[in-house]
Amino acid sequence: MTILGIDPGYATLGYGVIKYKNGNLKEINHGIISTSSSTAFSKRLEIIYDSLKKVLYSHKIESVAIEKLYFQNNQKTAIDVSQARGVAILASQKANTTIYEYTPLQVKMSVTGSGKAPKLQVMNMVKKLLSLQKIPTPDDAADSLAIAICHAHAIGFSKLNLNKSL
């Protein structure tokens, strides 16, 4: 299964593509979609949509895992990130993928075993789990790979539970 992990944002949106097969994980691609603060917000959303569409179709994505937003102090930022997240969900839906949502706590638990893991620990585990030579950069791309890994673990856990005889 090819999974796209998305770390939503409107200035920087992280994406990470992994393959998951028989319990094995492989990094395919990762990066960011950046938009400039000097660009009209509606145009920034269009850039995110068009760029994500290219990623979705070029890698034949089957499942999308996107981070759920948590409460932020700055309401304007939270609203803007929510709009970019909505655009990412729309692009994924239009590509006929199945969309899954995970909280930051779920991602940290899945990747490190601790919901309170610091960012560096998550990034190091992404490197280890994907057998990479170095920690993926920038942070948003590493986070998106962690989100994709979280979904792969959820799929694996689900299959284990479905096949388990009681």
Side-chain angles (χ1 to χ4, degrees):
M1 171 175 284
T2 307
I3 303 167
L4 171 63
I6 299 174
D7 182 27
Y10 60 93
T12 306
L13 179 141
Y15 68 87
V17 180
I18 66 169
K19 283 265 191 202
Y20 173 73
K21 186 175 182 182
N22 299 326
N24 296 312
L25 300 169
K26 180 182 179 189
E27 187 265 348
I28 303 300
N29 189 15
H30 66 274
I32 58 169
I33 298 168
S34 297
T35 64
S36 171
S37 60
S38 63
T39 304
F41 190 73
S42 57
K43 182 65 178 173
R44 293 172 87 174
L45 295 177
E46 180 184 14
I47 291 166
I48 291 167
Y49 179 86
D50 290 342
S51 299
L52 259 183
K53 197 168 136 183
K54 288 177 187 172
V55 172
L56 285 155
Y57 286 101
S58 66
H59 295 292
K60 298 178 181 158
I61 302 299
E62 297 168 77
S63 291
V64 172
I66 189 166
E67 189 172 70
K68 283 185 181 181
L69 298 181
Y70 55 92
F71 178 79
Q72 296 182 7
N73 291 333
N74 185 333
Q75 288 183 347
K76 174 155 178 19
T77 299
I79 290 168
D80 289 348
V81 172
S82 294
Q83 290 181 70
R85 185 177 181 276
V87 165
I89 290 171
L90 176 62
S92 302
Q93 181 66 36
K94 291 291 225 172
N96 294 314
T97 62
T98 308
I99 303 162
Y100 299 87
E101 301 177 31
Y102 298 96
T103 65
L105 177 69
Q106 289 172 306
V107 173
K108 289 178 180 183
M109 282 293 296
S110 177
V111 174
T112 69
S114 170
K116 295 183 179 186
K119 190 171 211 56
L120 186 57
Q121 183 180 359
V122 173
M123 293 168 73
N124 275 312
M125 283 303 297
V126 166
K127 175 187 166 211
K128 182 176 180 175
L129 291 168
L130 294 174
S131 302
L132 301 173
Q133 295 295 317
K134 58 183 182 172
I135 292 174
T137 56
D139 291 1
D140 304 282
D143 289 346
S144 67
L145 288 168
I147 296 161
I149 292 167
C150 176
H151 182 60
H153 287 166
I155 292 168
F157 182 74
S158 174
K159 286 183 180 177
L160 285 174
N161 282 340
L162 291 174
N163 294 328
K164 185 178 176 183
S165 49
L166 299 172

Short mmCIF file of all heavy atoms in Angstrom, two decimals, residues 43-90:
data_model
loop_
_atom_site.label_atom_id
_atom_site.label_comp_id
_atom_site.label_asym_id
_atom_site.label_seq_id
_atom_site.Cartn_x
_atom_site.Cartn_y
_atom_site.Cartn_z
N LYS A 43 -4.70 32.24 -3.33
CA LYS A 43 -3.71 31.70 -4.27
C LYS A 43 -2.82 30.67 -3.57
O LYS A 43 -2.45 29.65 -4.16
CB LYS A 43 -2.87 32.84 -4.86
CG LYS A 43 -1.84 32.38 -5.88
CD LYS A 43 -2.49 31.80 -7.12
CE LYS A 43 -1.44 31.40 -8.14
NZ LYS A 43 -2.02 30.69 -9.28
N ARG A 44 -2.51 30.92 -2.30
CA ARG A 44 -1.70 29.96 -1.54
C ARG A 44 -2.43 28.63 -1.43
O ARG A 44 -1.83 27.56 -1.57
CB ARG A 44 -1.41 30.53 -0.14
CG ARG A 44 -0.50 31.75 -0.19
CD ARG A 44 -0.38 32.40 1.16
NE ARG A 44 0.70 31.79 1.93
CZ ARG A 44 1.11 32.24 3.09
NH1 ARG A 44 0.54 33.30 3.65
NH2 ARG A 44 2.09 31.64 3.73
N LEU A 45 -3.75 28.69 -1.19
CA LEU A 45 -4.54 27.46 -1.11
C LEU A 45 -4.55 26.74 -2.46
O LEU A 45 -4.47 25.50 -2.51
CB LEU A 45 -5.97 27.77 -0.65
CG LEU A 45 -6.11 28.30 0.77
CD1 LEU A 45 -7.57 28.62 1.07
CD2 LEU A 45 -5.55 27.33 1.80
N GLU A 46 -4.62 27.50 -3.54
CA GLU A 46 -4.59 26.90 -4.88
C GLU A 46 -3.24 26.20 -5.13
O GLU A 46 -3.19 25.10 -5.69
CB GLU A 46 -4.83 27.96 -5.94
CG GLU A 46 -4.81 27.41 -7.36
CD GLU A 46 -4.96 28.49 -8.42
OE1 GLU A 46 -4.83 29.70 -8.11
OE2 GLU A 46 -5.20 28.11 -9.58
N ILE A 47 -2.15 26.82 -4.71
CA ILE A 47 -0.82 26.23 -4.86
C ILE A 47 -0.74 24.91 -4.09
O ILE A 47 -0.23 23.91 -4.61
CB ILE A 47 0.27 27.22 -4.39
CG1 ILE A 47 0.35 28.42 -5.35
CG2 ILE A 47 1.63 26.52 -4.25
CD1 ILE A 47 1.14 29.60 -4.81
N ILE A 48 -1.27 24.90 -2.88
CA ILE A 48 -1.28 23.68 -2.07
C ILE A 48 -2.08 22.59 -2.78
O ILE A 48 -1.62 21.45 -2.92
CB ILE A 48 -1.83 23.96 -0.66
CG1 ILE A 48 -0.84 24.83 0.13
CG2 ILE A 48 -2.14 22.66 0.08
CD1 ILE A 48 -1.40 25.42 1.40
N TYR A 49 -3.26 22.94 -3.24
CA TYR A 49 -4.13 21.97 -3.93
C TYR A 49 -3.43 21.38 -5.16
O TYR A 49 -3.34 20.16 -5.32
CB TYR A 49 -5.45 22.63 -4.33
CG TYR A 49 -6.38 21.69 -5.05
CD1 TYR A 49 -7.24 20.86 -4.34
CD2 TYR A 49 -6.40 21.62 -6.44
CE1 TYR A 49 -8.09 19.99 -4.99
CE2 TYR A 49 -7.24 20.75 -7.10
CZ TYR A 49 -8.09 19.94 -6.37
OH TYR A 49 -8.93 19.06 -7.02
N ASP A 50 -2.94 22.25 -6.02
CA ASP A 50 -2.31 21.80 -7.27
C ASP A 50 -1.06 20.97 -7.00
O ASP A 50 -0.83 19.94 -7.66
CB ASP A 50 -1.96 23.00 -8.17
CG ASP A 50 -3.18 23.68 -8.75
OD1 ASP A 50 -4.28 23.07 -8.76
OD2 ASP A 50 -3.04 24.84 -9.20
N SER A 51 -0.26 21.38 -6.03
CA SER A 51 0.97 20.65 -5.72
C SER A 51 0.68 19.28 -5.12
O SER A 51 1.32 18.28 -5.47
CB SER A 51 1.84 21.47 -4.76
OG SER A 51 2.20 22.70 -5.34
N LEU A 52 -0.30 19.23 -4.21
CA LEU A 52 -0.66 17.95 -3.61
C LEU A 52 -1.26 17.00 -4.65
O LEU A 52 -1.01 15.79 -4.61
CB LEU A 52 -1.66 18.15 -2.48
CG LEU A 52 -1.12 18.12 -1.07
CD1 LEU A 52 -2.23 18.27 -0.06
CD2 LEU A 52 -0.30 16.89 -0.79
N LYS A 53 -2.03 17.56 -5.56
CA LYS A 53 -2.62 16.76 -6.64
C LYS A 53 -1.52 16.04 -7.43
O LYS A 53 -1.64 14.85 -7.74
CB LYS A 53 -3.46 17.68 -7.54
CG LYS A 53 -4.43 16.99 -8.44
CD LYS A 53 -5.37 18.02 -9.02
CE LYS A 53 -5.55 17.75 -10.49
NZ LYS A 53 -6.39 18.73 -11.15
N LYS A 54 -0.45 16.76 -7.72
CA LYS A 54 0.68 16.16 -8.45
C LYS A 54 1.29 15.01 -7.65
O LYS A 54 1.61 13.96 -8.21
CB LYS A 54 1.75 17.22 -8.76
CG LYS A 54 1.34 18.20 -9.82
CD LYS A 54 2.41 19.26 -10.02
CE LYS A 54 1.90 20.35 -10.97
NZ LYS A 54 2.82 21.48 -11.04
N VAL A 55 1.47 15.20 -6.35
CA VAL A 55 2.03 14.15 -5.50
C VAL A 55 1.10 12.94 -5.48
O VAL A 55 1.53 11.79 -5.63
CB VAL A 55 2.29 14.66 -4.06
CG1 VAL A 55 2.68 13.52 -3.13
CG2 VAL A 55 3.35 15.75 -4.05
N LEU A 56 -0.19 13.19 -5.31
CA LEU A 56 -1.17 12.11 -5.23
C LEU A 56 -1.18 11.25 -6.49
O LEU A 56 -1.21 10.02 -6.42
CB LEU A 56 -2.57 12.69 -4.99
CG LEU A 56 -2.84 13.18 -3.57
CD1 LEU A 56 -3.93 14.23 -3.55
CD2 LEU A 56 -3.20 12.00 -2.67
N TYR A 57 -1.14 11.89 -7.64
CA TYR A 57 -1.22 11.14 -8.89
C TYR A 57 0.12 10.55 -9.32
O TYR A 57 0.17 9.46 -9.89
CB TYR A 57 -1.83 11.99 -10.00
CG TYR A 57 -3.32 12.17 -9.80
CD1 TYR A 57 -3.83 13.34 -9.26
CD2 TYR A 57 -4.21 11.16 -10.11
CE1 TYR A 57 -5.19 13.51 -9.06
CE2 TYR A 57 -5.57 11.30 -9.91
CZ TYR A 57 -6.06 12.48 -9.38
OH TYR A 57 -7.41 12.63 -9.17
N SER A 58 1.22 11.23 -9.04
CA SER A 58 2.51 10.71 -9.49
C SER A 58 2.94 9.48 -8.70
O SER A 58 3.73 8.67 -9.20
CB SER A 58 3.59 11.80 -9.42
OG SER A 58 3.83 12.17 -8.08
N HIS A 59 2.42 9.30 -7.49
CA HIS A 59 2.80 8.15 -6.67
C HIS A 59 1.67 7.14 -6.51
O HIS A 59 1.81 6.18 -5.75
CB HIS A 59 3.28 8.62 -5.29
CG HIS A 59 4.53 9.43 -5.35
ND1 HIS A 59 5.76 8.90 -5.72
CD2 HIS A 59 4.75 10.75 -5.15
CE1 HIS A 59 6.67 9.84 -5.70
NE2 HIS A 59 6.09 10.98 -5.36
N LYS A 60 0.55 7.36 -7.18
CA LYS A 60 -0.59 6.44 -7.10
C LYS A 60 -0.93 6.12 -5.64
O LYS A 60 -0.95 4.97 -5.21
CB LYS A 60 -0.31 5.17 -7.90
CG LYS A 60 -0.11 5.46 -9.37
CD LYS A 60 0.20 4.22 -10.15
CE LYS A 60 0.40 4.63 -11.60
NZ LYS A 60 1.17 3.68 -12.37
N ILE A 61 -1.21 7.15 -4.89
CA ILE A 61 -1.49 7.04 -3.46
C ILE A 61 -2.79 6.28 -3.24
O ILE A 61 -3.80 6.54 -3.90
CB ILE A 61 -1.59 8.45 -2.83
CG1 ILE A 61 -0.29 9.26 -3.05
CG2 ILE A 61 -1.96 8.36 -1.36
CD1 ILE A 61 0.95 8.66 -2.45
N GLU A 62 -2.76 5.35 -2.29
CA GLU A 62 -3.95 4.58 -1.95
C GLU A 62 -4.62 5.10 -0.68
O GLU A 62 -5.84 5.06 -0.57
CB GLU A 62 -3.58 3.11 -1.78
CG GLU A 62 -3.04 2.50 -3.07
CD GLU A 62 -2.40 1.15 -2.83
OE1 GLU A 62 -3.16 0.18 -2.66
OE2 GLU A 62 -1.15 1.10 -2.81
N SER A 63 -3.83 5.52 0.28
CA SER A 63 -4.36 6.04 1.55
C SER A 63 -3.64 7.33 1.90
O SER A 63 -2.43 7.46 1.67
CB SER A 63 -4.14 5.04 2.69
OG SER A 63 -4.93 3.91 2.53
N VAL A 64 -4.39 8.24 2.48
CA VAL A 64 -3.83 9.50 2.97
C VAL A 64 -4.04 9.56 4.47
O VAL A 64 -5.13 9.30 4.97
CB VAL A 64 -4.49 10.72 2.29
CG1 VAL A 64 -4.05 12.02 2.94
CG2 VAL A 64 -4.20 10.73 0.80
N ALA A 65 -2.97 9.87 5.19
CA ALA A 65 -3.03 10.08 6.63
C ALA A 65 -2.69 11.54 6.88
O ALA A 65 -1.65 12.02 6.45
CB ALA A 65 -2.04 9.16 7.35
N ILE A 66 -3.59 12.23 7.53
CA ILE A 66 -3.39 13.67 7.78
C ILE A 66 -3.52 13.94 9.27
O ILE A 66 -4.33 13.31 9.96
CB ILE A 66 -4.39 14.51 6.95
CG1 ILE A 66 -4.05 16.00 7.02
CG2 ILE A 66 -5.83 14.23 7.33
CD1 ILE A 66 -4.75 16.86 5.97
N GLU A 67 -2.71 14.86 9.74
CA GLU A 67 -2.73 15.18 11.16
C GLU A 67 -3.96 16.01 11.50
O GLU A 67 -4.30 16.97 10.80
CB GLU A 67 -1.46 15.95 11.55
CG GLU A 67 -1.32 16.12 13.05
CD GLU A 67 0.02 16.70 13.42
OE1 GLU A 67 0.24 17.89 13.13
OE2 GLU A 67 0.83 15.98 14.02
N LYS A 68 -4.64 15.60 12.58
CA LYS A 68 -5.74 16.40 13.12
C LYS A 68 -5.13 17.61 13.81
O LYS A 68 -4.04 17.52 14.40
CB LYS A 68 -6.53 15.61 14.16
CG LYS A 68 -7.47 14.60 13.58
CD LYS A 68 -8.29 13.98 14.70
CE LYS A 68 -9.22 12.94 14.16
NZ LYS A 68 -10.04 12.34 15.23
N LEU A 69 -5.81 18.71 13.74
CA LEU A 69 -5.31 19.92 14.40
C LEU A 69 -5.70 19.91 15.87
O LEU A 69 -6.74 19.39 16.25
CB LEU A 69 -5.90 21.16 13.73
CG LEU A 69 -5.54 21.35 12.26
CD1 LEU A 69 -6.17 22.62 11.74
CD2 LEU A 69 -4.04 21.39 12.07
N TYR A 70 -4.84 20.46 16.66
CA TYR A 70 -5.13 20.63 18.07
C TYR A 70 -5.28 22.13 18.33
O TYR A 70 -4.90 22.96 17.51
CB TYR A 70 -4.03 20.01 18.94
CG TYR A 70 -2.65 20.54 18.63
CD1 TYR A 70 -2.12 21.62 19.31
CD2 TYR A 70 -1.87 19.94 17.63
CE1 TYR A 70 -0.86 22.11 19.02
CE2 TYR A 70 -0.62 20.44 17.33
CZ TYR A 70 -0.12 21.51 18.02
OH TYR A 70 1.12 22.00 17.72
N PHE A 71 -5.87 22.49 19.45
CA PHE A 71 -6.13 23.89 19.76
C PHE A 71 -4.84 24.68 19.79
O PHE A 71 -3.84 24.24 20.33
CB PHE A 71 -6.82 23.99 21.12
CG PHE A 71 -7.08 25.41 21.53
CD1 PHE A 71 -8.15 26.10 21.00
CD2 PHE A 71 -6.25 26.06 22.42
CE1 PHE A 71 -8.39 27.41 21.37
CE2 PHE A 71 -6.47 27.37 22.78
CZ PHE A 71 -7.55 28.04 22.26
N GLN A 72 -4.88 25.84 19.15
CA GLN A 72 -3.73 26.74 19.16
C GLN A 72 -4.15 28.05 19.80
O GLN A 72 -5.32 28.42 19.78
CB GLN A 72 -3.26 27.01 17.73
CG GLN A 72 -2.74 25.79 17.02
CD GLN A 72 -2.24 26.13 15.62
OE1 GLN A 72 -2.17 27.28 15.24
NE2 GLN A 72 -1.90 25.11 14.88
N ASN A 73 -3.18 28.76 20.35
CA ASN A 73 -3.48 30.05 20.99
C ASN A 73 -3.88 31.10 19.97
O ASN A 73 -4.74 31.93 20.23
CB ASN A 73 -2.27 30.53 21.80
CG ASN A 73 -2.03 29.66 23.00
OD1 ASN A 73 -2.95 29.06 23.54
ND2 ASN A 73 -0.78 29.58 23.44
N ASN A 74 -3.25 31.10 18.82
CA ASN A 74 -3.52 32.10 17.79
C ASN A 74 -4.67 31.61 16.91
O ASN A 74 -4.49 30.74 16.07
CB ASN A 74 -2.25 32.34 16.96
CG ASN A 74 -2.42 33.45 15.96
OD1 ASN A 74 -3.52 33.74 15.51
ND2 ASN A 74 -1.31 34.07 15.60
N GLN A 75 -5.86 32.18 17.10
CA GLN A 75 -7.05 31.72 16.37
C GLN A 75 -6.93 31.95 14.87
O GLN A 75 -7.36 31.12 14.08
CB GLN A 75 -8.30 32.39 16.91
CG GLN A 75 -8.70 31.88 18.27
CD GLN A 75 -9.99 32.49 18.76
OE1 GLN A 75 -10.48 33.47 18.21
NE2 GLN A 75 -10.54 31.91 19.81
N LYS A 76 -6.32 33.05 14.45
CA LYS A 76 -6.18 33.31 13.01
C LYS A 76 -5.31 32.24 12.37
O LYS A 76 -5.64 31.71 11.32
CB LYS A 76 -5.58 34.69 12.75
CG LYS A 76 -5.29 34.89 11.25
CD LYS A 76 -5.27 36.30 10.82
CE LYS A 76 -4.96 36.54 9.37
NZ LYS A 76 -5.09 35.49 8.41
N THR A 77 -4.21 31.90 13.01
CA THR A 77 -3.33 30.84 12.49
C THR A 77 -4.08 29.52 12.43
O THR A 77 -4.00 28.79 11.43
CB THR A 77 -2.07 30.70 13.36
OG1 THR A 77 -1.37 31.94 13.34
CG2 THR A 77 -1.16 29.61 12.86
N ALA A 78 -4.82 29.18 13.48
CA ALA A 78 -5.57 27.93 13.52
C ALA A 78 -6.59 27.87 12.39
O ALA A 78 -6.75 26.83 11.73
CB ALA A 78 -6.26 27.76 14.87
N ILE A 79 -7.26 28.97 12.13
CA ILE A 79 -8.26 29.01 11.05
C ILE A 79 -7.58 28.85 9.70
O ILE A 79 -8.04 28.08 8.85
CB ILE A 79 -9.09 30.30 11.13
CG1 ILE A 79 -10.00 30.25 12.37
CG2 ILE A 79 -9.92 30.50 9.86
CD1 ILE A 79 -10.66 31.56 12.71
N ASP A 80 -6.49 29.53 9.49
CA ASP A 80 -5.77 29.44 8.21
C ASP A 80 -5.21 28.04 7.98
O ASP A 80 -5.29 27.50 6.88
CB ASP A 80 -4.66 30.49 8.13
CG ASP A 80 -5.21 31.90 7.97
OD1 ASP A 80 -6.42 32.06 7.71
OD2 ASP A 80 -4.41 32.86 8.11
N VAL A 81 -4.65 27.44 9.02
CA VAL A 81 -4.14 26.06 8.90
C VAL A 81 -5.31 25.11 8.61
O VAL A 81 -5.18 24.20 7.80
CB VAL A 81 -3.35 25.63 10.15
CG1 VAL A 81 -2.99 24.14 10.09
CG2 VAL A 81 -2.08 26.46 10.30
N SER A 82 -6.44 25.36 9.26
CA SER A 82 -7.62 24.53 9.01
C SER A 82 -8.07 24.61 7.56
O SER A 82 -8.48 23.60 6.96
CB SER A 82 -8.78 24.95 9.91
OG SER A 82 -8.47 24.69 11.26
N GLN A 83 -7.98 25.80 6.98
CA GLN A 83 -8.36 25.94 5.57
C GLN A 83 -7.39 25.19 4.67
O GLN A 83 -7.81 24.51 3.72
CB GLN A 83 -8.41 27.42 5.20
CG GLN A 83 -9.58 28.15 5.84
CD GLN A 83 -9.62 29.60 5.44
OE1 GLN A 83 -9.92 29.91 4.29
NE2 GLN A 83 -9.31 30.47 6.38
N ALA A 84 -6.10 25.25 4.95
CA ALA A 84 -5.11 24.51 4.16
C ALA A 84 -5.33 23.01 4.34
O ALA A 84 -5.21 22.24 3.37
CB ALA A 84 -3.70 24.91 4.59
N ARG A 85 -5.67 22.60 5.53
CA ARG A 85 -5.96 21.19 5.80
C ARG A 85 -7.18 20.74 4.99
O ARG A 85 -7.19 19.65 4.42
CB ARG A 85 -6.20 20.99 7.30
CG ARG A 85 -6.39 19.57 7.72
CD ARG A 85 -6.53 19.51 9.26
NE ARG A 85 -6.71 18.15 9.68
CZ ARG A 85 -7.86 17.51 9.69
NH1 ARG A 85 -8.97 18.11 9.31
NH2 ARG A 85 -7.93 16.25 10.09
N GLY A 86 -8.18 21.59 4.93
CA GLY A 86 -9.38 21.28 4.14
C GLY A 86 -9.05 21.11 2.67
O GLY A 86 -9.57 20.21 1.99
N VAL A 87 -8.18 21.95 2.15
CA VAL A 87 -7.75 21.86 0.75
C VAL A 87 -7.00 20.54 0.53
O VAL A 87 -7.21 19.87 -0.49
CB VAL A 87 -6.89 23.08 0.37
CG1 VAL A 87 -6.14 22.86 -0.92
CG2 VAL A 87 -7.76 24.33 0.26
N ALA A 88 -6.17 20.14 1.49
CA ALA A 88 -5.44 18.87 1.38
C ALA A 88 -6.41 17.69 1.39
O ALA A 88 -6.25 16.73 0.62
CB ALA A 88 -4.43 18.75 2.51
N ILE A 89 -7.42 17.77 2.23
CA ILE A 89 -8.44 16.71 2.27
C ILE A 89 -9.21 16.67 0.96
O ILE A 89 -9.47 15.59 0.41
CB ILE A 89 -9.37 16.90 3.49
CG1 ILE A 89 -8.59 16.61 4.77
CG2 ILE A 89 -10.60 16.00 3.38
CD1 ILE A 89 -9.34 16.97 6.05
N LEU A 90 -9.56 17.83 0.43
CA LEU A 90 -10.28 17.89 -0.86
C LEU A 90 -9.45 17.28 -1.98
O LEU A 90 -9.95 16.47 -2.77
CB LEU A 90 -10.67 19.33 -1.20
CG LEU A 90 -11.34 19.53 -2.56
CD1 LEU A 90 -12.66 18.77 -2.63
CD2 LEU A 90 -11.55 21.02 -2.82
#
